[in-house]
Amino acid sequence: MTNLRKNPLAVRQPLLVIAAAIAMLGALPSVQAQTAAPADNAMVRLIRGLIQSGALTKDVGEALLAQAQTEALAAQQTQRLAAAAPANGGGARVEPGDVRVPYISATVRDQIRDDLKSEVMAQAKAEGWAAPNETPEWTKRIRIEGDMRVRNESRFYSSGNSNEITDWNQLNASGPYDINKNTNKDNPYLLNRTKDRTNQLRIRARLGILADISENTTAGIRLATGSDNNPVSTTQTLGGGLSKKNIWLDQAWVSYKFADWVTVTGGRFANPFVSTDMLFSNDLNLDGLAAQFTKTLSNTDVTVFGTLGLVPLEYSADNAPSRDQDKMNSQNKWLIGAQVGASWKLNAENKVRGALGYYDFKNIEGQVSNSCFFFATSCSTDWSRPAFVQGGNTMMLLRKLTVNPADPANTVQPQYVGLASKFQLLDVNLRWDTRVAGHYGLRLDANYIRNLAFDQNEMIKRSQGGIVNNFRGTDGTTAEFQSGGNAYMLQATLGNPNPSVRGDWNVLLGYKRIDPDALPDAYNDSTFHQGGTNARGYYLGATYAVDKNTSLGGRWSATKAVFGPPTTIDTLQLELNTRF
């Protein structure tokens, strides 16, 4: 009994059950019953039954059982004393062994039942007792979300396009490539820019699990399809002999809310910056750390926000060069991003948003190596070649090779390529949401990007004359080299920007121009001009929601190269999207 006094909550639930049983016993009309032995009275049998059914734990049940038996003995002694006393007032004589049960009216019985039911249900809800059709508490903190897309894509190329567009990404991945035509008669890897590709069926599937660990901590994991591990697309082309398709780890992150206005996220997470797909693809996820700030100003409709990001792009290998005894120093590439902005609800029909961002891509530019023997397996700046490019950036040769003095014309020249420009981006984003013709939504977006580090003369100097693309003519001299450091986008969307209810729709029209070295070509939209930079053109599209969270859409884009060999690409995409 001492433990029960110390922890009254331990017996609260059993006592409620017992109280309900007593109320039901007491609801019987006034009767006289033969007193049972202490070990066999109704209360003792009830407690034993509760122990056997599991409603009472053994230790609590035994304590209650001992108390019930003690009270039964005391009741019997009281009855014997009452039987020995003379009847008072002419009432019925109480014989030894008889028990008088008081009468309880129907109204009182109903009140006792309702009070007990309310108290038990309140306690069950507060403590999360298991009940029929109820799920465990932890499942309420787990959310599953995902989306699925089926797309038909066709690409149309002009017959006047150049057929000598080098695939720099493949060259680096499979290189080094011997650029000496005397020793290597094979072309480098070339992109198809002349033969149409029509009616390619492609899919995208993503499945994520989100966990609300506490009020402040959240974690997430997401899997996604993808033909390869490139960072800008999770689209998988069907076919391939009906082979199984790849699944990749698309996201894995944990975030902690330090206050209502600041959250820090670490791992691999969705792009935290306000941006357009001219800079960052909609499928792009970032690695590293990001801190997000948001605050609504008092007594206003203005919300200010900001984001800081530290993103590791590449780490040099620990054992590079793998076959050399003298290992290279650590060389890491980073993206450091900072953005501030505000949104302002002017009235019921007008809302504006503006954001100013700065993105410093550190150590991603190519560097010419120290003198390197032509037969060497590696050179000092091989690490500076990018892990992934889509195309458009100005490229430069990385290796400073020493030729064979006995036969310089026939010395092999195995090369990698790197980015000729540095990248420090100023990014301006503007948006205006309004309504036209009474109730149709209209969204206007504008995006301007300037590479503050762009310097054409500095690029020529850095490459030591080794620029290999973006020439005006075909002689390949730096005098013919052309580039630029600006990019801009304008887009108008009429209707609901995010159709989710059956009957929602939108149409959009936009224009982009991206100079070759306005931004890194590795991370933006992979559809416009087949991804990357050195592209200009327009696009238009439409979307219609055929069901809840399910829509049909189409988009047409027509693009051309800004500089260099003529390259015209038209792309048509028809797709069905659904999400859950």
Side-chain angles (χ1 to χ4, degrees):
M1 293 302 293
T2 303
N3 291 335
L4 296 179
R5 293 190 184 95
K6 290 182 178 179
N7 187 16
L9 292 178
V11 298
R12 180 177 180 84
Q13 181 180 349
L15 288 176
L16 289 173
V17 177
I18 295 170
I22 294 172
M24 288 186 290
L25 291 174
L28 297 174
S30 181
V31 297
Q32 289 183 338
Q34 184 68 31
T35 303
D40 295 325
N41 68 30
M43 183 60 70
V44 170
R45 290 196 297 272
L46 175 61
I47 294 174
R48 285 176 175 167
L50 292 173
I51 295 174
Q52 293 174 358
S53 68
L56 285 175
T57 60
K58 184 177 180 180
D59 54 347
V60 174
E62 289 179 349
L64 291 172
L65 187 62
Q67 181 179 355
Q69 290 174 333
T70 301
E71 291 174 350
L73 289 172
Q76 284 188 348
Q77 183 64 28
T78 301
Q79 291 165 7
R80 292 191 186 96
L81 294 174
N88 188 12
R93 178 180 177 79
V94 179
E95 299 295 335
D98 289 347
V99 177
R100 182 171 296 277
V101 181
Y103 171 75
I104 302 178
S105 68
T107 302
V108 175
R109 293 199 305 269
D110 291 342
Q111 183 65 42
I112 294 173
R113 180 196 63 204
D114 293 342
D115 290 347
L116 287 172
K117 181 178 179 181
S118 297
E119 186 172 356
V120 171
M121 293 304 294
Q123 184 179 359
K125 182 177 180 180
E127 299 179 4
W129 298 354
N133 301 321
E134 286 288 334
T135 57
E137 184 275 337
W138 66 268
T139 64
K140 300 177 182 178
R141 296 184 284 108
I142 302 295
R143 292 169 285 141
I144 297 177
E145 63 178 26
D147 64 272
M148 175 69 191
R149 181 178 70 199
V150 179
R151 170 185 287 174
N152 179 284
E153 182 171 319
S154 297
R155 304 168 187 169
F156 306 97
Y157 303 103
S158 170
S159 58
N161 286 353
S162 171
N163 59 0
E164 296 182 347
I165 307 297
T166 302
D167 185 346
W168 302 112
N169 191 65
Q170 189 62 43
L171 184 149
N172 274 340
S174 304
Y177 169 73
D178 181 9
I179 63 173
N180 189 344
K181 294 182 179 180
N182 294 328
T183 55
N184 182 14
K185 303 300 181 181
D186 294 331
N187 289 322
Y189 293 94
L190 301 175
L191 294 169
N192 170 40
R193 292 295 183 261
T194 59
K195 304 299 182 183
D196 295 347
R197 293 292 181 263
T198 59
N199 296 319
Q200 297 183 91
L201 285 176
R202 315 184 79 195
I203 62 170
R204 183 186 70 181
R206 300 182 293 191
L207 179 64
I209 299 176
L210 304 178
D212 297 318
I213 310 301
S214 68
E215 291 184 358
N216 298 320
T217 305
T218 306
I221 297 174
R222 188 170 77 179
L223 303 178
T225 54
S227 298
D228 53 43
N229 66 344
N230 83 72
V232 294
S233 176
T234 53
T235 299
Q236 171 73 56
T237 301
L238 299 180
L242 302 184
S243 60
K244 295 185 290 293
K245 311 309 176 188
N246 294 327
I247 295 293
W248 302 87
L249 180 63
D250 194 40
Q251 292 183 2
W253 53 268
V254 60
S255 67
Y256 183 79
K257 183 185 294 185
F258 286 88
D260 290 339
W261 55 277
V262 57
T263 299
V264 175
T265 302
R268 179 171 175 82
F269 43 82
N271 173 22
F273 298 101
V274 173
S275 64
T276 69
D277 62 8
M278 186 172 71
L279 176 60
F280 294 135
S281 165
N282 293 329
D283 278 358
L284 179 71
N285 293 293
L286 301 182
D287 301 343
L289 296 171
Q292 293 177 280
F293 311 86
T294 181
K295 181 72 173 180
T296 300
L297 302 183
S298 300
N299 303 318
T300 71
D301 291 322
V302 176
T303 299
V304 295
F305 58 86
T307 304
L308 296 174
L310 179 63
V311 179
L313 299 175
E314 294 180 54
Y315 297 118
S316 58
D318 287 344
N319 297 318
S322 59
R323 297 185 180 182
D324 289 2
Q325 292 177 323
D326 186 16
K327 303 300 182 182
M328 63 173 284
N329 294 328
S330 177
Q331 296 287 347
N332 301 327
K333 303 178 183 182
W334 297 88
L335 163 59
I336 300 175
Q339 185 179 68
V340 294
S343 62
W344 182 15
K345 186 176 181 181
L346 303 175
N347 52 45
E349 295 185 348
N350 291 276
K351 181 179 179 180
V352 295
R353 186 192 70 188
L356 179 66
Y358 177 76
Y359 304 98
D360 188 1
F361 292 83
K362 288 188 172 296
N363 211 26
I364 71 169
E365 68 275 7
Q367 298 183 25
V368 176
S369 71
N370 299 326
S371 293
C372 183
F373 289 109
F374 63 91
F375 53 80
T377 58
S378 63
C379 296
S380 60
T381 61
D382 287 354
W383 61 268
S384 68
R385 68 187 189 273
F388 177 73
V389 296
Q390 296 189 91
N393 285 159
T394 302
M395 310 302 290
M396 56 176 273
L397 300 177
L398 296 180
R399 290 179 165 184
K400 186 177 182 180
L401 296 170
T402 301
V403 299
N404 181 2
D407 190 7
N410 292 305
T411 300
V412 296
Q413 299 179 40
Q415 280 284 1
Y416 289 114
V417 294
L419 303 177
S421 179
K422 292 184 175 182
F423 293 93
Q424 297 170 357
L425 310 185
L426 178 68
D427 178 41
V428 180
N429 272 275
L430 299 174
R431 170 174 288 178
W432 176 26
D433 285 295
T434 186
R435 292 194 174 275
V436 295
H439 61 281
Y440 294 112
L442 176 63
R443 170 174 290 180
L444 300 177
D445 288 292
N447 185 199
Y448 171 74
I449 298 173
R450 170 67 182 176
N451 181 9
L452 301 177
F454 173 76
D455 186 327
Q456 190 161 310
N457 292 328
E458 180 66 24
M459 293 164 63
I460 295 173
K461 180 180 178 180
R462 180 180 299 109
S463 69
Q464 299 182 19
I467 299 292
V468 292
N469 64 337
N470 294 331
F471 298 113
R472 182 184 302 111
T474 58
D475 61 359
T477 65
T478 53
E480 295 287 316
F481 167 56
Q482 290 180 303
S483 186
N486 297 297
Y488 65 87
M489 183 202 81
L490 298 172
Q491 179 177 299
T493 305
L494 179 64
N496 189 330
N498 301 294
S500 58
V501 178
R502 184 174 183 177
D504 285 353
W505 58 272
N506 70 47
V507 293
L508 63 86
L509 174 66
Y511 181 86
K512 296 179 185 177
R513 177 189 166 109
I514 313 173
D515 287 345
D517 296 299
L519 49 96
D521 66 28
Y523 308 116
N524 66 356
D525 175 38
S526 61
T527 295
F528 189 79
H529 204 65
Q530 299 305 299
T533 62
N534 193 23
R536 59 187 173 89
Y538 71 89
Y539 55 94
L540 56 90
T543 304
Y544 181 80
V546 296
D547 203 349
K548 179 181 179 181
N549 294 329
T550 303
S551 63
L552 286 171
R555 176 175 289 207
W556 171 269
S557 62
T559 66
K560 296 181 178 181
V562 179
F563 300 119
T567 310
T568 299
I569 306 174
D570 297 337
T571 305
L572 175 64
Q573 296 174 331
L574 303 173
E575 58 191 38
L576 173 68
N577 283 276
T578 189
R579 67 178 186 271
F580 54 89

